[in-house]
Amino acid sequence: MNERFVKHATFAVERTYAASPERVYQAWADPVAKAKWFSKPEIFEFRVGGREYSSGGPPEGPVFTFDASYQEIVPEQRIVYTYTLDSGSTRVSVSNTTVELIKLEGGTKLIFTEQGAFFDGHDTPEIREHGTNLMLDALGKAFEEGNGHEHGEK
């Protein structure tokens, strides 16, 4: 029998974007905008109590399933959601995530904090934090590839 264990961890990742809090918020709230930097959702109900669901992966790799429920939404300031992540039929983690948006001169500071329970060594906080950094870099690239006016926004 395989040993079962849980590793609990919290990490925070910060980014500053040359885009207004309104634009950064819309990148999370609009399914078309979000699909430019995150997996394309099959279900997208951006409201408190709403669900976001996506499933996919590389052709030769496992299918990853993201299943989230929005717990708190304060437009242009805060998004809180809980989610499960599965690899194939194996649950690898359950997390609580808070995204804070702080208005800065000429941009927005985003603070992404995740509190997770990682199961049986299938995923680790270090791997998740690395993936979160890549995800937030992709979000930044989506702003850079936008229509160009966001760099001067206040």
Side-chain angles (χ1 to χ4, degrees):
M1 181 172 176
N2 291 338
E3 180 185 352
R4 298 286 190 170
F5 64 96
V6 179
K7 183 171 185 178
H8 297 273
T10 298
F11 64 85
V13 177
E14 296 184 10
R15 289 289 186 280
T16 300
Y17 300 115
S20 68
E22 295 83 4
R23 264 188 72 100
V24 178
Y25 176 79
Q26 279 307 117
W28 290 81
D30 177 80
V32 174
K34 191 169 185 182
K36 293 178 182 173
W37 60 273
F38 195 76
S39 56
K40 187 176 185 334
E42 297 165 44
I43 299 170
F44 192 84
E45 304 164 332
F46 190 78
R47 58 177 169 73
V48 173
R51 183 177 180 208
E52 181 174 345
Y53 178 92
S54 62
S55 187
E60 63 283 338
V63 171
F64 288 97
T65 302
F66 171 85
D67 195 353
S69 178
Y70 290 99
Q71 305 299 327
E72 165 82 344
I73 297 174
V74 179
E76 301 164 15
Q77 295 178 45
R78 180 173 57 235
I79 302 165
V80 180
Y81 57 95
T82 54
Y83 76 95
T84 59
L85 188 66
D86 297 344
S87 175
S89 62
T90 302
R91 170 88 12 110
V92 299
S93 68
V94 176
S95 295
N96 183 60
T97 302
T98 303
V99 178
E100 298 170 86
L101 305 177
I102 301 163
K103 185 178 179 79
L104 300 174
E105 182 67 31
T108 302
K109 180 179 185 178
L110 181 147
I111 304 170
F112 182 104
T113 304
E114 183 162 337
Q115 300 164 289
F118 299 85
F119 305 132
D120 306 324
H122 297 294
D123 197 356
T124 67
E126 296 78 15
I127 290 171
R128 184 67 54 82
E129 185 173 353
H130 176 74
T132 298
N133 274 290
L134 295 176
M135 177 185 79
L136 295 178
D137 287 348
L139 174 57
K141 285 185 179 70
F143 292 128
E144 291 168 14
E145 294 167 0
N147 54 19
H149 77 278
E150 65 275 1
H151 293 286
E153 281 188 2
K154 301 283 185 218

